[in-house]
Amino acid sequence: MEKFLINGGKPLIGRVHISGAKNAAVAILPAVLLSDEPCIIENLPQISDVSTLLSSLSKLGAEIKTINKTSVSIDPRRASYFVVTKEMAQGMRASSYFLGALLGRNNKARVAPPGGCDFGVRPIDQHIKGFEALGAYVAIENGMVDARAKELRGSSIYLDMVSVGATINIMLAAVKAKGLTIIENAAREPHIVDLANFLNSMGADIMGAGTGVIKIRGVEHLHGTQYSIIPDQIEAGTYMVAAAATGGDVTIENVTPKHLESIIAKLVETGAEIEEFDEAVRVKMTGRPRRCNIKTMPHPGFPTDMQPQIATLLSVAEGTSIVTEGVWEGRFRYVEQLTLMGADIQVDGKSAVITGVKNLKPAPVRAVDLRAGAAMIIAGLMAEGQSTVEDISHIDRGYELITEKLSGLGADIKRINDYDAPSAKLA
Ligand code: UD1
């Protein structure tokens, strides 16, 4: 079992380059199945979620050629299978996008129920409601989600709650359906806009992505394209918070500052100094962070995927902060780990009351999910002394070369095997 060994207590200083967005990549890769020609996808992050999806595409019959570390060519013409098994999906939430993509391609799809980080119940009722409105019949049979249609026809769909996954899946199924589809109360995240731009670059007719109403006029064919994925908003935000939490000075490069507005606003409230450039932001923190309250919300609100990282920063702030989770039911599971490091946090339902302590203390902790894992790394970098973070496969799902990037900023962090651990050597 691998883990991270961190000798914390040093400020992060320097420049870091942000990779392509995970949540855009995991939508765009299945979307290639809708093309009638090969596509070149660039700026793919080197993370395990991307390798899992590429291997699933190849098992479906697509031909994948690696161009370089971050670009691939995908030829979907021979992808004749329409079943994504549990083994292929490997518990990924984004495997659900194969439902929309395969339905849009073949009018049939059979996909293992999506997994992903454990934030409590993660239903797909809104995805199914969308497919049904387009004329598909959806059933759960033998532990698989089975969707079929004689023909997909455009329709108006009102989402009962703002759902990133349902918005993406309905776009995928509707892009080649007959007629006009309107998604109301659609999610507005940057990766929704990126998927729409990708599909439009293949000849799709999608308007309104990035607003609450998306209009999709179905087209018969989608042609090949060469497309570069947007920078990862959450990876950027994670390095911004890590810079502030360690009292550092970091320039985060290859970002879209507009996507980072809510994170910038909150970091400024905590006392960080932020400079914005065309494609970079510089985050500098001197002194102890100030308290602030945060409520996570769909975009353009503060992203739920940044909640554990910012709560970790607030755990050493002067005063008491309240962090309210507005998207997921069970997203405070990491708090138990943070309290092992001396944080003073009381969770009551959807809110965490964080009473700032002066310092975190080093400890062995676990990554309970992807972003919680990033938070544990930030905590380890803040606490003076040696911490370890276990269960790091969660972190590898979403952060490219995290030890290399942090080491480049002066952090003392290593990936070790259990038998390399100092305690094992002493025994
Ligand atoms: C995506 C992101 C995830 C992020 C989340 C919210 C990917 C691969 N994952 O997840 O990192 O935390 O957006 O920004 O992009 N809901 C339903 N029924 C549905 C669908 C959703 O009740 O059919 C609820 C969920 O339980 C949740 C809320 O809607 O409370 C938002 O979920 P959603 O936006 O769909 O999240 P994901 O697409 O799964």
CSV table of all heavy atoms in Angstrom, one decimal, residues 22-23 26 93-94 97 119 121-128 161-166 168 187 189 191 298 304-305 327-329 331 371, ligand 1:
chain,number,residue,atom,x,y,z
A,22,LYS,N,-10.0,17.6,-14.8
A,22,LYS,CA,-10.6,16.2,-14.6
A,22,LYS,C,-12.0,16.1,-15.0
A,22,LYS,O,-12.4,15.2,-15.8
A,22,LYS,CB,-10.4,15.7,-13.2
A,22,LYS,CG,-11.2,14.5,-12.8
A,22,LYS,CD,-11.1,14.3,-11.3
A,22,LYS,CE,-12.1,13.2,-10.9
A,22,LYS,NZ,-13.5,13.7,-10.8
A,23,ASN,N,-12.8,17.0,-14.5
A,23,ASN,CA,-14.3,16.8,-14.7
A,23,ASN,C,-14.7,17.2,-16.1
A,23,ASN,O,-15.8,16.7,-16.5
A,23,ASN,CB,-15.1,17.6,-13.6
A,23,ASN,CG,-15.0,17.0,-12.3
A,23,ASN,OD1,-14.5,15.8,-12.1
A,23,ASN,ND2,-15.4,17.7,-11.2
A,26,VAL,N,-13.4,13.8,-18.1
A,26,VAL,CA,-14.2,12.5,-17.9
A,26,VAL,C,-15.6,12.6,-18.6
A,26,VAL,O,-16.3,11.6,-18.8
A,26,VAL,CB,-14.4,12.2,-16.4
A,26,VAL,CG1,-13.1,11.9,-15.7
A,26,VAL,CG2,-15.2,13.3,-15.7
A,93,ARG,N,-17.6,7.7,-10.8
A,93,ARG,CA,-18.9,8.4,-11.0
A,93,ARG,C,-19.1,8.7,-12.5
A,93,ARG,O,-20.2,8.5,-13.1
A,93,ARG,CB,-18.9,9.7,-10.2
A,93,ARG,CG,-20.1,10.5,-10.3
A,93,ARG,CD,-21.3,9.9,-9.6
A,93,ARG,NE,-22.5,10.7,-9.7
A,93,ARG,CZ,-23.7,10.2,-9.3
A,93,ARG,NH1,-23.8,8.9,-8.9
A,93,ARG,NH2,-24.7,10.9,-9.4
A,94,ALA,N,-18.1,9.1,-13.2
A,94,ALA,CA,-18.2,9.5,-14.6
A,94,ALA,C,-18.5,8.3,-15.5
A,94,ALA,O,-18.8,8.6,-16.7
A,94,ALA,CB,-16.9,10.2,-15.0
A,97,TYR,N,-21.5,8.6,-17.7
A,97,TYR,CA,-21.6,9.4,-18.9
A,97,TYR,C,-21.6,8.5,-20.2
A,97,TYR,O,-22.0,8.9,-21.3
A,97,TYR,CB,-20.4,10.4,-19.1
A,97,TYR,CG,-20.4,11.5,-18.0
A,97,TYR,CD1,-19.3,12.1,-17.6
A,97,TYR,CD2,-21.6,11.9,-17.5
A,97,TYR,CE1,-19.3,13.1,-16.6
A,97,TYR,CE2,-21.7,12.9,-16.5
A,97,TYR,CZ,-20.5,13.5,-16.1
A,97,TYR,OH,-20.5,14.5,-15.1
A,119,PHE,N,-20.1,10.5,-0.8
A,119,PHE,CA,-20.6,11.7,-0.1
A,119,PHE,C,-22.0,11.4,0.4
A,119,PHE,O,-22.8,12.3,0.5
A,119,PHE,CB,-20.7,12.9,-1.0
A,119,PHE,CG,-19.5,13.2,-1.8
A,119,PHE,CD1,-19.6,13.6,-3.2
A,119,PHE,CD2,-18.2,13.1,-1.3
A,119,PHE,CE1,-18.5,14.0,-3.9
A,119,PHE,CE2,-17.1,13.5,-2.0
A,119,PHE,CZ,-17.2,13.9,-3.3
A,121,VAL,N,-25.7,9.4,-0.3
A,121,VAL,CA,-26.5,8.9,-1.5
A,121,VAL,C,-26.1,9.7,-2.7
A,121,VAL,O,-26.1,10.9,-2.7
A,121,VAL,CB,-28.0,9.0,-1.2
A,121,VAL,CG1,-28.8,8.3,-2.3
A,121,VAL,CG2,-28.3,8.4,0.1
A,122,ARG,N,-25.8,9.0,-3.9
A,122,ARG,CA,-25.6,9.7,-5.1
A,122,ARG,C,-26.5,9.2,-6.2
A,122,ARG,O,-26.1,8.4,-7.0
A,122,ARG,CB,-24.1,9.6,-5.5
A,122,ARG,CG,-23.2,10.2,-4.5
A,122,ARG,CD,-21.7,10.3,-5.0
A,122,ARG,NE,-21.5,11.3,-6.0
A,122,ARG,CZ,-20.3,11.6,-6.5
A,122,ARG,NH1,-19.2,11.0,-6.1
A,122,ARG,NH2,-20.2,12.5,-7.5
A,123,PRO,N,-27.8,9.7,-6.2
A,123,PRO,CA,-28.8,9.1,-7.1
A,123,PRO,C,-28.5,9.6,-8.6
A,123,PRO,O,-27.8,10.6,-8.8
A,123,PRO,CB,-30.1,9.7,-6.6
A,123,PRO,CG,-29.7,10.9,-5.8
A,123,PRO,CD,-28.3,10.8,-5.3
A,124,ILE,N,-29.2,8.9,-9.5
A,124,ILE,CA,-29.1,9.3,-10.9
A,124,ILE,C,-30.6,9.5,-11.5
A,124,ILE,O,-30.8,9.4,-12.7
A,124,ILE,CB,-28.3,8.4,-11.8
A,124,ILE,CG1,-28.8,7.0,-11.8
A,124,ILE,CG2,-26.8,8.5,-11.5
A,124,ILE,CD1,-28.2,6.1,-13.0
A,125,ASP,N,-31.5,9.8,-10.6
A,125,ASP,CA,-32.9,9.9,-11.0
A,125,ASP,C,-33.1,11.0,-12.1
A,125,ASP,O,-33.9,10.9,-13.0
A,125,ASP,CB,-33.8,10.1,-9.8
A,125,ASP,CG,-33.4,11.3,-9.0
A,125,ASP,OD1,-32.3,11.3,-8.5
A,125,ASP,OD2,-34.2,12.3,-9.0
A,126,GLN,N,-32.3,12.1,-12.0
A,126,GLN,CA,-32.5,13.2,-12.9
A,126,GLN,C,-31.9,12.8,-14.3
A,126,GLN,O,-32.4,13.3,-15.3
A,126,GLN,CB,-31.9,14.5,-12.4
A,126,GLN,CG,-32.4,15.0,-11.1
A,126,GLN,CD,-33.9,15.3,-11.2
A,126,GLN,OE1,-34.3,16.1,-12.1
A,126,GLN,NE2,-34.7,14.6,-10.4
A,127,HIS,N,-30.9,12.0,-14.3
A,127,HIS,CA,-30.3,11.5,-15.6
A,127,HIS,C,-31.4,10.7,-16.3
A,127,HIS,O,-31.7,10.8,-17.5
A,127,HIS,CB,-29.1,10.6,-15.4
A,127,HIS,CG,-28.0,11.2,-14.5
A,127,HIS,ND1,-26.7,11.1,-14.9
A,127,HIS,CD2,-28.0,11.8,-13.4
A,127,HIS,CE1,-25.9,11.7,-14.0
A,127,HIS,NE2,-26.7,12.1,-13.0
A,128,ILE,N,-32.0,9.8,-15.5
A,128,ILE,CA,-33.0,8.8,-16.0
A,128,ILE,C,-34.2,9.6,-16.5
A,128,ILE,O,-34.7,9.4,-17.6
A,128,ILE,CB,-33.4,7.8,-15.0
A,128,ILE,CG1,-32.1,6.9,-14.7
A,128,ILE,CG2,-34.6,6.9,-15.4
A,128,ILE,CD1,-32.3,5.9,-13.6
A,161,MET,N,-33.1,19.5,-9.4
A,161,MET,CA,-32.0,20.2,-8.7
A,161,MET,C,-30.9,20.4,-9.7
A,161,MET,O,-30.9,19.7,-10.7
A,161,MET,CB,-31.5,19.4,-7.5
A,161,MET,CG,-30.7,18.2,-7.7
A,161,MET,SD,-31.6,16.8,-8.4
A,161,MET,CE,-32.7,16.4,-7.1
A,162,VAL,N,-30.0,21.3,-9.4
A,162,VAL,CA,-28.9,21.6,-10.4
A,162,VAL,C,-28.0,20.4,-10.3
A,162,VAL,O,-27.3,20.2,-9.3
A,162,VAL,CB,-28.2,22.9,-10.0
A,162,VAL,CG1,-27.1,23.2,-10.9
A,162,VAL,CG2,-29.2,24.1,-10.1
A,163,SER,N,-27.9,19.7,-11.4
A,163,SER,CA,-27.0,18.5,-11.4
A,163,SER,C,-26.1,18.5,-12.5
A,163,SER,O,-26.5,18.6,-13.7
A,163,SER,CB,-27.9,17.2,-11.4
A,163,SER,OG,-27.1,16.1,-11.9
A,164,VAL,N,-24.8,18.5,-12.2
A,164,VAL,CA,-23.7,18.5,-13.2
A,164,VAL,C,-23.9,17.2,-14.1
A,164,VAL,O,-23.9,17.3,-15.3
A,164,VAL,CB,-22.3,18.5,-12.6
A,164,VAL,CG1,-21.2,18.3,-13.6
A,164,VAL,CG2,-22.1,19.8,-11.8
A,165,GLY,N,-23.9,16.1,-13.4
A,165,GLY,CA,-24.0,14.8,-14.1
A,165,GLY,C,-25.2,14.7,-15.0
A,165,GLY,O,-25.1,14.3,-16.2
A,166,ALA,N,-26.4,15.1,-14.6
A,166,ALA,CA,-27.6,15.0,-15.4
A,166,ALA,C,-27.5,15.9,-16.5
A,166,ALA,O,-27.9,15.6,-17.7
A,166,ALA,CB,-28.8,15.3,-14.5
A,168,ILE,N,-24.9,17.0,-18.1
A,168,ILE,CA,-23.9,16.4,-19.1
A,168,ILE,C,-24.6,15.2,-19.8
A,168,ILE,O,-24.5,15.1,-21.1
A,168,ILE,CB,-22.6,16.0,-18.4
A,168,ILE,CG1,-21.9,17.3,-18.1
A,168,ILE,CG2,-21.8,15.1,-19.3
A,168,ILE,CD1,-20.6,17.1,-17.3
A,187,ALA,N,-26.9,22.8,-14.9
A,187,ALA,CA,-25.7,23.2,-14.2
A,187,ALA,C,-24.9,24.2,-15.1
A,187,ALA,O,-25.0,24.1,-16.3
A,187,ALA,CB,-24.9,22.0,-13.8
A,189,GLU,N,-21.4,24.8,-14.5
A,189,GLU,CA,-19.9,24.7,-14.3
A,189,GLU,C,-19.1,24.8,-15.5
A,189,GLU,O,-19.5,24.6,-16.6
A,189,GLU,CB,-19.7,23.2,-13.7
A,189,GLU,CG,-19.7,23.1,-12.2
A,189,GLU,CD,-21.1,23.4,-11.6
A,189,GLU,OE1,-22.1,23.5,-12.3
A,189,GLU,OE2,-21.2,23.4,-10.3
A,191,HIS,N,-16.9,23.0,-16.8
A,191,HIS,CA,-16.8,21.8,-17.6
A,191,HIS,C,-18.0,21.5,-18.4
A,191,HIS,O,-17.9,20.8,-19.4
A,191,HIS,CB,-16.4,20.5,-16.7
A,191,HIS,CG,-16.9,20.5,-15.3
A,191,HIS,ND1,-16.4,21.3,-14.3
A,191,HIS,CD2,-17.9,19.7,-14.8
A,191,HIS,CE1,-17.1,21.0,-13.2
A,191,HIS,NE2,-17.9,20.1,-13.4
A,298,PRO,N,-23.8,25.2,-6.3
A,298,PRO,CA,-23.4,25.0,-7.7
A,298,PRO,C,-22.8,26.3,-8.3
A,298,PRO,O,-23.0,27.4,-7.7
A,298,PRO,CB,-24.8,24.7,-8.4
A,298,PRO,CG,-25.7,24.3,-7.3
A,298,PRO,CD,-25.2,25.0,-6.1
A,304,THR,N,-18.3,22.8,-4.0
A,304,THR,CA,-18.2,21.8,-3.0
A,304,THR,C,-16.9,21.0,-3.0
A,304,THR,O,-16.4,20.6,-2.0
A,304,THR,CB,-19.4,20.9,-3.1
A,304,THR,OG1,-19.2,19.8,-2.2
A,304,THR,CG2,-19.6,20.3,-4.5
A,305,ASP,N,-16.3,20.9,-4.2
A,305,ASP,CA,-15.0,20.2,-4.4
A,305,ASP,C,-13.8,20.9,-3.8
A,305,ASP,O,-12.7,20.4,-3.8
A,305,ASP,CB,-14.8,19.8,-5.8
A,305,ASP,CG,-15.7,18.7,-6.3
A,305,ASP,OD1,-16.5,18.2,-5.6
A,305,ASP,OD2,-15.6,18.4,-7.6
A,327,VAL,N,-24.3,21.1,-1.3
A,327,VAL,CA,-24.5,20.2,-2.4
A,327,VAL,C,-24.7,18.8,-2.0
A,327,VAL,O,-25.7,18.1,-2.4
A,327,VAL,CB,-23.4,20.4,-3.4
A,327,VAL,CG1,-23.5,19.4,-4.6
A,327,VAL,CG2,-23.3,21.8,-3.9
A,328,TRP,N,-23.8,18.3,-1.2
A,328,TRP,CA,-23.8,16.9,-0.8
A,328,TRP,C,-24.2,16.7,0.7
A,328,TRP,O,-23.9,17.6,1.5
A,328,TRP,CB,-22.4,16.2,-1.0
A,328,TRP,CG,-22.0,16.2,-2.4
A,328,TRP,CD1,-21.0,17.0,-3.0
A,328,TRP,CD2,-22.5,15.4,-3.4
A,328,TRP,NE1,-20.9,16.7,-4.3
A,328,TRP,CE2,-21.8,15.7,-4.6
A,328,TRP,CE3,-23.5,14.4,-3.5
A,328,TRP,CZ2,-22.1,15.1,-5.8
A,328,TRP,CZ3,-23.8,13.9,-4.7
A,328,TRP,CH2,-23.1,14.2,-5.9
A,329,GLU,N,-24.8,15.6,1.0
A,329,GLU,CA,-25.3,15.3,2.3
A,329,GLU,C,-24.1,15.0,3.3
A,329,GLU,O,-24.0,15.4,4.4
A,329,GLU,CB,-26.2,14.1,2.4
A,329,GLU,CG,-27.6,14.5,2.2
A,329,GLU,CD,-28.5,13.3,2.0
A,329,GLU,OE1,-28.2,12.2,2.5
A,329,GLU,OE2,-29.6,13.5,1.4
A,331,ARG,N,-20.5,15.2,3.3
A,331,ARG,CA,-19.2,15.6,2.8
A,331,ARG,C,-18.3,16.1,4.0
A,331,ARG,O,-17.3,16.8,3.7
A,331,ARG,CB,-19.3,16.7,1.7
A,331,ARG,CG,-18.0,16.6,0.9
A,331,ARG,CD,-18.1,17.2,-0.4
A,331,ARG,NE,-16.9,16.8,-1.2
A,331,ARG,CZ,-16.6,17.1,-2.4
A,331,ARG,NH1,-17.4,17.8,-3.1
A,331,ARG,NH2,-15.5,16.7,-3.0
A,371,ARG,N,-11.0,14.8,-2.8
A,371,ARG,CA,-10.7,16.2,-2.3
A,371,ARG,C,-10.4,16.2,-0.9
A,371,ARG,O,-9.6,17.0,-0.4
A,371,ARG,CB,-11.9,17.1,-2.6
A,371,ARG,CG,-12.3,17.1,-4.1
A,371,ARG,CD,-11.3,17.4,-5.1
A,371,ARG,NE,-11.7,17.2,-6.5
A,371,ARG,CZ,-10.9,17.3,-7.5
A,371,ARG,NH1,-9.6,17.6,-7.4
A,371,ARG,NH2,-11.4,17.1,-8.7
B,1,UD1,C1,-20.1,16.4,-10.2
B,1,UD1,C2,-18.6,16.3,-9.9
B,1,UD1,C3,-18.3,16.3,-8.4
B,1,UD1,C4,-18.9,17.5,-7.8
B,1,UD1,C5,-20.4,17.6,-8.1
B,1,UD1,C6,-21.0,18.9,-7.7
B,1,UD1,C7,-17.8,15.1,-11.9
B,1,UD1,C8,-17.3,13.8,-12.4
B,1,UD1,N1,-18.1,15.1,-10.5
B,1,UD1,O1,-20.6,15.2,-9.6
B,1,UD1,O2,-16.9,16.3,-8.2
B,1,UD1,O3,-18.8,17.4,-6.4
B,1,UD1,O4,-20.6,17.6,-9.6
B,1,UD1,O5,-20.3,20.0,-8.2
B,1,UD1,O6,-18.0,16.0,-12.6
B,1,UD1,N2,-28.6,14.6,-7.5
B,1,UD1,C9,-29.9,13.9,-7.4
B,1,UD1,N3,-30.3,13.2,-8.5
B,1,UD1,C10,-29.6,13.1,-9.7
B,1,UD1,C11,-28.3,13.8,-9.7
B,1,UD1,C12,-27.9,14.5,-8.6
B,1,UD1,O7,-30.5,14.0,-6.4
B,1,UD1,O8,-30.0,12.4,-10.6
B,1,UD1,C13,-28.2,15.4,-6.4
B,1,UD1,C14,-26.9,14.8,-5.7
B,1,UD1,O9,-27.3,13.9,-4.7
B,1,UD1,C15,-26.3,16.0,-5.2
B,1,UD1,C16,-26.6,17.1,-6.2
B,1,UD1,O10,-27.7,16.7,-6.9
B,1,UD1,O11,-26.8,16.4,-3.9
B,1,UD1,C17,-25.5,17.5,-7.1
B,1,UD1,O12,-25.0,16.4,-7.8
B,1,UD1,P1,-24.4,16.4,-9.2
B,1,UD1,O13,-24.2,17.9,-9.6
B,1,UD1,O14,-25.2,15.6,-10.1
B,1,UD1,O15,-23.0,15.8,-9.0
B,1,UD1,P2,-22.1,14.8,-9.9
B,1,UD1,O16,-22.4,15.1,-11.3
B,1,UD1,O17,-22.3,13.4,-9.4
